[in-house]
Amino acid sequence: MVIAVTERLVISEISIKEAPFFVQLMNTPGFLKYVGDRNIKTKKDAEAYLKTRFLKSYKDHGFGYYKMALKEQIDRPLGVVGILKRDTLDDADVGFALLPEFEGKGYGYEASVEILKLAKQKFKMTKITAITDPENMKSIKLLERLGMTFEKRVAPFEEDKELLLFVKDL
């Protein structure tokens, strides 16, 4: 199901058929460095992850992560963007990840702007957060460009790594 269309992108719900794409995305050097190794090495691993995380989020919250594709290549995902509600954070957070060949082209910003509109208009959120690795300068710059401001350092996950928490009133 299509969630949004931007100037260059189609943003749509993720399905199990995107499992091979997720194996690729979750094993890129940037994903492994800044997000972490989610141990998604096979199509079967990715299918299980999609079912228990992304598809479950749609069912539980009405939102989640979505695939991004160019309008002229709608069957070829270039990344993900979306909103997650994590038990370890007070507010939902926006996130994004792109295959390396699509980084630096403005797709993350273009898609995130649309997701923030959906958060406010469709999901009636009044505040959104984002978390990122302190070394991930590309992500920090994108969050700032979206009008988000650094609030504090947090350690929301079991590995206890400190991340930067950004916030934005919608």
Side-chain angles (χ1 to χ4, degrees):
M1 174 173 37
V2 173
I3 299 301
V5 177
T6 69
E7 183 180 331
R8 302 177 293 169
L9 302 170
V10 174
I11 302 167
S12 56
E13 285 189 1
I14 292 164
S15 70
I16 293 297
K17 74 177 187 171
E18 274 89 42
F21 160 70
F22 272 88
V23 173
Q24 182 184 8
L25 179 68
M26 297 176 95
N27 287 288
T28 61
F31 196 97
L32 292 170
K33 180 177 181 180
Y34 297 123
V35 180
D37 188 348
R38 298 294 185 249
N39 202 29
I40 307 298
K41 306 300 181 204
T42 67
K43 181 181 171 194
K44 188 175 180 181
D45 293 339
E47 288 171 350
Y49 191 88
L50 289 170
K51 285 177 188 172
T52 60
R53 301 286 179 107
F54 294 176
L55 302 182
K56 185 176 185 310
S57 182
Y58 297 154
K59 183 180 173 208
D60 292 351
H61 304 291
F63 56 80
Y65 268 83
Y66 307 101
K67 71 176 177 178
M68 292 182 264
L70 294 172
K71 284 181 176 178
E72 62 272 6
Q73 294 179 326
I74 195 159
D75 291 329
R76 183 174 180 234
L78 58 91
V80 295
V81 64
I83 309 164
L84 283 183
K85 179 57 190 109
R86 302 174 199 266
D87 294 337
T88 55
L89 294 174
D90 293 335
D91 298 288
D93 68 282
V94 64
F96 41 82
L98 296 158
L99 292 173
E101 62 265 33
F102 296 104
E103 292 177 355
K105 299 180 185 331
Y107 299 129
Y109 176 78
E110 186 175 326
S112 295
V113 165
E114 204 60 36
I115 291 298
L116 292 178
K117 285 180 194 173
L118 287 172
K120 181 178 183 173
Q121 296 167 1
K122 183 175 181 178
F123 304 120
K124 308 299 182 204
M125 295 178 188
T126 57
K127 180 179 179 183
I128 193 96
T129 62
I131 50 176
T132 190
D133 186 296
E135 295 177 14
N136 191 344
M137 295 312 297
K138 288 180 184 178
S139 181
I140 292 168
K141 286 179 182 176
L142 176 52
L143 294 174
E144 290 172 342
R145 189 170 172 215
L146 291 167
M148 301 189 81
T149 55
F150 171 73
E151 184 172 90
K152 62 184 176 181
R153 289 180 175 263
V154 294
F157 306 116
E158 290 177 13
E159 56 262 19
D160 224 18
K161 181 177 183 175
E162 272 200 343
L163 301 174
L164 304 180
L165 178 75
F166 285 76
V167 298
K168 178 180 175 93
D169 290 326
L170 297 175

